[in-house]
Amino acid sequence: MLIRPATITDSADLMKLRTEAEQWLADAGVDQWRDSATRTRALAKWEADIHAGRTYVVQDEQDTVLGTVTLALPDVDFWRTPDAPDDAFYVGKLITARAAKGTKLGGRILDWVGRRAAAAERSFVRLDVWRTNGALQDYYLAEGFTHVRTEAPAHRLSGWMAQRPAGLAMHPSAPLTDRETRRA
């Protein structure tokens, strides 16, 4: 599998991943991304991240998009000056296709982010997830993250914050291959 910068032509594939994830979460009884009205806003944010060069897609040999991740900016609702927010890469919009089940693609993407963070001389990979999504929190703990704290701003549903060392590789035998492309 190859990972490359997303282009604006990937927008439909990104929304397909999100829609599939919405359904999977709903089927699992997880109250996350349930409001389809947020899709337009999500796509606009993705497109801004694509233009800024922060969003990446993972493709298989047939160029099918199987995953995505955004190297997000530090979220000021959660990561503050004492956290040294510039000393980390931030995982955002990590989504994998159900077709990639069993390939450990999510963990492999996290390892790729960690390699990039280490190469940029950052100490951590950080993320925040929904406070009510215990299964996702457990997943990230199993991927080497440590819970930092939980914040609960009234206007946000996420806030369970975690980090892991930048150089940590949980899936070293199956790294993703970088493929650079032009940005749209």
Side-chain angles (χ1 to χ4, degrees):
M1 288 187 212
L2 301 172
I3 189 164
R4 64 167 175 79
T7 66
I8 205 68
T9 60
D10 293 312
S11 296
D13 288 326
L14 293 174
M15 285 311 295
K16 181 180 172 187
L17 286 173
R18 171 159 169 152
T19 302
E20 182 183 56
E22 287 173 6
Q23 186 60 54
W24 181 81
L25 288 165
D27 291 347
V30 177
D31 185 25
Q32 181 173 335
W33 291 356
R34 284 269 187 70
D35 184 0
S36 61
T38 63
R39 287 183 193 150
T40 301
R41 188 175 55 209
L43 182 58
K45 288 169 89 177
W46 250 329
E47 289 177 349
D49 286 331
I50 288 168
H51 286 297
R54 290 190 292 265
T55 297
Y56 294 81
V57 294
V58 178
Q59 294 178 302
D60 64 12
E61 299 80 26
Q62 292 77 38
D63 293 333
T64 302
V65 173
L66 295 175
T68 185
V69 67
T70 295
L71 301 180
L73 299 173
D75 191 323
V76 297
D77 281 341
F78 305 127
W79 303 100
R80 298 186 181 83
T81 303
D83 298 314
D86 293 334
D87 193 27
F89 272 22
Y90 295 84
V91 173
K93 300 181 195 84
L94 173 58
I95 305 173
T96 60
R98 301 308 304 149
K101 184 177 179 180
T103 65
K104 302 195 181 301
L105 182 55
R108 294 165 64 196
I109 292 171
L110 292 169
D111 286 357
W112 176 84
V113 173
R115 285 194 310 274
R116 290 192 60 119
E121 299 182 355
R122 306 292 172 86
S123 298
F124 301 103
V125 173
R126 292 179 173 156
L127 50 80
D128 66 89
V129 302
W130 281 42
R131 296 184 301 269
T132 58
N133 193 338
L136 187 56
Q137 295 166 15
D138 290 344
Y139 169 78
Y140 284 119
L141 292 171
E143 286 293 330
F145 284 82
T146 301
H147 179 237
V148 174
R149 67 181 174 273
T150 300
E151 298 280 346
H155 64 289
R156 299 292 295 274
L157 295 171
S158 61
W160 184 88
M161 301 158 48
Q163 66 185 18
R164 79 180 203 185
L168 180 63
M170 300 294 289
H171 309 279
S173 65
L176 295 176
T177 303
D178 282 289
R179 184 177 86 197
E180 293 298 321
T181 61
R182 286 184 314 128
R183 275 188 234 139

